[in-house]
Amino acid sequence: MIQLEDLTKTFSTPNGPVVAADKVNMTVPTGEICVLLGPSGCGKTTALKMINRLIMPTSGRIYINGEDTTQLNKFELRRRIGYVIQQIGLFPNMTIEENICVVPKMLGWDAKKAKERAAELTDLVGLDPHQFLHRFPKELSGGQQQRIGVIRALAADPPVMLMDEPFGAIDPINREIIQNEFLKMQEVLKKTIIFVSHDIDEAVKMADKIAIFRGGKIEQYDSPSQVLAHPANPFVADFVGSDRTLKRLRLLTAVDVRDIDAPVASMQASVEEVLVSAKSHANRIVVLIDADRHPVAYVTADELSGATGVVSDFAHDLPTTVPVGADLRAVVSEMLSHDTMWITCVDERGHFAGVVTQPAVTAALGQKSSSVRDQATDARLANV
Amino acid sequence: MFSAKDFSRKLQLLAMLFIGFYISWSGLYDEIATYWEDIVYLTQQHIFLVATSGLAAILIGVPVGIWLSRPAMERSAEAIMQVFNIGTTIPTLAVIALSMTILGIGFAPAFFGLFVASLLPIVRNTFTGLLAVPDHLLEAATGMGMTPLQILIHVELPNALYVILSGIRTALAINVGTAPLAFLIGGGGLGELIFTGIDLMETGMLLAGAIPTAMLAVTVDFLTGQGQFYFVSRGVNPLR
């Protein structure tokens, strides 16, 4: 847990004192990612760097797991905090292994243990230790270097990590991949992380909590869905953008809004049967599945009404399907690109897993609830 | 890779080959051989002069360069470097002459003159090499909890080493090239054969001094080049 208490930094400049951080108060619970977000010069990086005392606070206190860090020697303090910067900062004169072992060595680990740790971590980010540990940073791609930058910070297993726009210099495609990898790692590692970003999309994706800064002050400190659904003031609303409702699509997955009880029928079912089940669900669409429950086609109730025979005669090809774990942004994007009001979800094995409709998506985004995420969880539980 | 350095080295070797042919053709070899004892003695003297003054310049120049590159020196470092830069513009012969006026004749003024002449490139390259280490490396190192001394030893010096060694290489080249002038102020060395040979119009004697001097210069350059190749980490070494 990280607690900042009245943290203040005043820089004296030739034009008089500048307040970079003004009585910042916040608590980041253990195992959560808190993103400090704001335009440049808003004090987010200053706030971050005061935590590992790269910048000395003018006043205020910082507690890490309840311990007042002002009492600690700054070198000891920093060795206990993982630090990742945008420029990565791998030491080019050292091999990857040496880079990872810097902090463990300073902490007095024996060489064998440190090397084992380096191999373990390299493996964790999907790089082959035999291939990469003895390379130099210049022999790695930007994405690989940033992965090493992250695991170097994790080397001595610090409970707390500070990340200063860690994925800012990576191309969008790789950034997405590394962010996902990092979130997956975080699920297991449960570090307490403070993460500086100026990218609202990244913040929404990574954060458990977002702190929006302006002029050294926190304007709003809340969960991503709260910040997007209920911006505290016009500045926050403006900063998160007029498309903030669309950004919330990211926070929900198809599971949260799908209708798992949507009617299905086999290809060989009779028209009458299908019409009955469509009526009972008040649904105009019935998805047809094969013997293995793979969705293969659909029929509309309108076309069936008054007809007889087997439904396969009226079947249309399914425009597309989405994995049930996909976020709503991807789902809506698929709907729009196929010009359809509904979409079929499939699970990992390709089995039918419900239907997502545009009204269901709209309803989920429109909820004036305290937390969309909470409701979504409720809905998920109700579906199980 | 075809660089000016490689080219000049090849040119040097070629020149030496032709000199070798010329010497054996003209019967100069026998003439030079008569100075063999002088050559051995004076070469030793010459190497001693180069080695001591060069080593002293490294031992003083590198720490001075480090000191000037520290953040505390940020304001005054440039001014001090200007003094060093003015020092470089003084011809080495003048430096030697000036040191004679202060220290008299013999080993001491020769040592001092060569020391001063080789100090400047070392200080300058150490200083600029250390300043060229990117800030984000220092930030990463500091953020990881390294002390300033650890940062200097494990991050700054290894990353600046190539540039520092280039300075040492330049300095030693200047040193070896200037060392024959030491004879003029009584410092001994192979200059004795060269200058006496010139005065007496004796080609054999002249070459008895000039050839070992040339060989020494090539050897020193080769050795420092090897040092640059092997001592600088592969991660920051442009040679490999």
Side-chain angles (χ1 to χ4, degrees), chain B:
Chain B
M1 197 181 68
F2 186 82
S3 73
K5 210 179 274 169
D6 286 339
F7 183 69
S8 78
R9 185 173 294 166
K10 277 174 191 142
L11 213 64
Q12 278 175 0
L13 291 172
L14 208 64
M16 279 168 59
L17 196 69
F18 277 114
I19 292 170
F21 278 131
Y22 173 73
I23 289 169
S24 54
W25 167 75
S26 64
L28 271 172
Y29 179 77
D30 296 330
E31 220 175 307
I32 293 171
T34 55
Y35 299 105
W36 183 247
E37 260 176 47
D38 290 331
I39 292 174
V40 172
Y41 176 76
L42 291 172
T43 303
Q44 279 170 1
Q45 214 175 24
H46 197 98
I47 289 174
F48 183 72
L49 197 55
V50 167
T52 51
S53 61
L55 196 66
I58 293 168
L59 291 180
I60 304 287
V62 173
V64 169
I66 292 172
W67 174 65
L68 289 175
S69 71
R70 296 305 86 192
M73 292 300 294
E74 207 180 333
R75 280 155 175 259
S76 42
E78 274 309 323
I80 298 174
M81 279 315 297
Q82 280 312 312
V83 175
F84 278 96
N85 281 337
I86 292 167
T88 341
T89 61
I90 302 171
T92 42
L93 183 59
V95 172
I96 287 200
L98 286 172
S99 75
M100 185 183 79
T101 60
I102 301 163
L103 294 168
I105 58 165
F107 174 79
F111 169 87
F112 184 74
L114 292 177
F115 164 76
V116 169
S118 26
L119 191 61
L120 312 172
I122 297 177
V123 174
R124 194 165 42 185
N125 277 35
T126 306
F127 175 71
T128 52
L130 287 172
L131 284 195
V133 174
D135 282 344
H136 65 256
L137 292 187
L138 305 183
E139 194 198 327
T142 312
M144 290 165 80
M146 292 171 99
T147 62
L149 184 66
Q150 284 171 328
I151 295 174
L152 176 68
I153 293 171
H154 297 296
V155 180
E156 291 182 89
L157 284 176
N159 281 295
L161 191 59
Y162 187 81
V163 179
I164 296 174
L165 288 178
S166 295
I168 291 176
R169 195 171 175 176
T170 310
L172 291 182
I174 293 173
N175 192 318
V176 176
T178 314
L181 301 179
F183 160 73
L184 299 175
I185 54 170
L190 290 163
E192 195 168 323
L193 289 171
I194 299 174
F195 285 106
T196 319
I198 292 172
D199 285 346
L200 301 177
M201 294 287 278
E202 274 209 42
T203 318
M205 191 180 204
L206 189 150
L207 288 177
I211 292 172
T213 307
M215 278 164 55
L216 199 62
V218 173
T219 311
V220 166
D221 188 62
F222 174 76
L223 289 178
T224 46
Q226 291 297 301
Q228 245 175 336
F229 188 87
Y230 288 108
F231 292 144
V232 178
S233 159
R234 195 160 59 80
V236 286
N237 196 329
L239 296 178
R240 45 178 184 154

Side-chain angles (χ1 to χ4, degrees), chain A residues 95-375:
Chain A
T95 61
I96 300 308
E97 186 174 60
E98 289 165 339
N99 265 289
I100 299 173
C101 292
V102 167
V103 177
K105 249 188 201 163
M106 286 192 291
L107 292 174
W109 291 24
D110 71 47
K112 192 166 167 262
K113 186 180 163 199
K115 282 181 180 181
E116 277 168 12
R117 176 76 178 155
E120 179 193 323
L121 285 168
T122 317
D123 200 42
L124 189 66
V125 289
L127 300 175
D128 176 17
H130 298 287
Q131 204 185 339
F132 284 96
L133 280 181
H134 299 288
R135 289 201 188 170
F136 285 92
K138 69 173 179 187
E139 294 161 332
L140 268 58
S141 72
Q144 290 168 340
Q145 287 187 24
Q146 191 50 280
R147 288 181 178 90
I148 301 297
V150 171
I151 61 171
R152 180 175 68 169
L154 285 167
D157 208 12
V160 167
M161 278 178 85
L162 306 177
M163 307 176 84
D164 191 356
E165 302 200 19
F167 309 129
I170 302 172
D171 66 273
I173 295 171
N174 270 308
R175 190 188 310 151
E176 189 87 26
I177 296 171
I178 293 185
Q179 285 169 343
N180 293 339
E181 279 179 9
F182 184 74
L183 286 175
K184 210 180 264 176
M185 256 162 67
Q186 167 66 359
E187 267 174 33
V188 183
L189 298 173
K190 293 270 172 232
K191 301 292 179 193
T192 309
I193 296 169
I194 295 190
F195 186 114
V196 165
S197 178
H198 60 251
D199 178 359
I200 172 76
D201 290 314
E202 181 174 61
V204 168
K205 178 167 187 173
M206 308 294 288
D208 292 302
K209 289 269 178 57
I210 295 179
I212 296 189
F213 275 74
R214 176 172 63 164
K217 282 197 169 86
I218 295 184
E219 294 283 324
Q220 186 170 7
Y221 182 47
D222 231 322
S223 67
S225 67
Q226 273 299 88
V227 170
L228 292 174
H230 305 289
N233 55 39
F235 170 78
V236 176
D238 195 39
F239 188 79
V240 296
S242 51
D243 63 340
R244 59 194 163 86
T245 302
L246 289 181
K247 286 184 171 120
R248 280 166 60 211
L249 287 172
R250 264 239 162 117
L251 297 170
L252 295 166
T253 61
V255 174
D256 302 323
V257 297
R258 67 173 170 173
D259 177 7
I260 191 141
D261 299 321
V264 290
S266 82
M267 289 292 266
Q268 287 75 37
S270 72
V271 169
E272 290 80 4
E273 264 181 288
V274 174
L275 273 175
V276 169
S277 76
K279 202 162 281 171
S280 71
H281 285 89
N283 227 324
R284 311 305 304 160
I285 303 285
V286 177
V287 173
L288 302 181
I289 54 178
D290 65 12
D292 291 331
R293 290 192 63 79
H294 296 299
V296 285
Y298 72 96
V299 290
T300 66
D302 295 338
E303 284 172 343
L304 292 183
S305 62
T308 51
V310 186
V311 284
S312 52
D313 297 338
F314 301 91
H316 302 277
D317 287 341
L318 278 179
T320 181
T321 60
V322 291
V324 77
D327 69 38
L328 283 191
R329 208 169 72 131
V331 173
V332 169
S333 165
E334 282 293 308
M335 282 189 196
L336 295 177
S337 64
H338 289 90
D339 190 18
T340 161
M341 291 289 287
W342 58 276
I343 203 159
T344 313
C345 304
V346 293
D347 62 18
E348 313 85 62
R349 288 163 302 174
H351 294 177
F352 176 79
V355 168
V356 174
T357 62
Q358 278 195 20
V361 173
T362 317
L365 293 180
Q367 281 165 353
K368 293 283 178 198
S369 63
S370 56
S371 161
V372 173
R373 212 170 234 183
D374 289 349
Q375 293 237 340

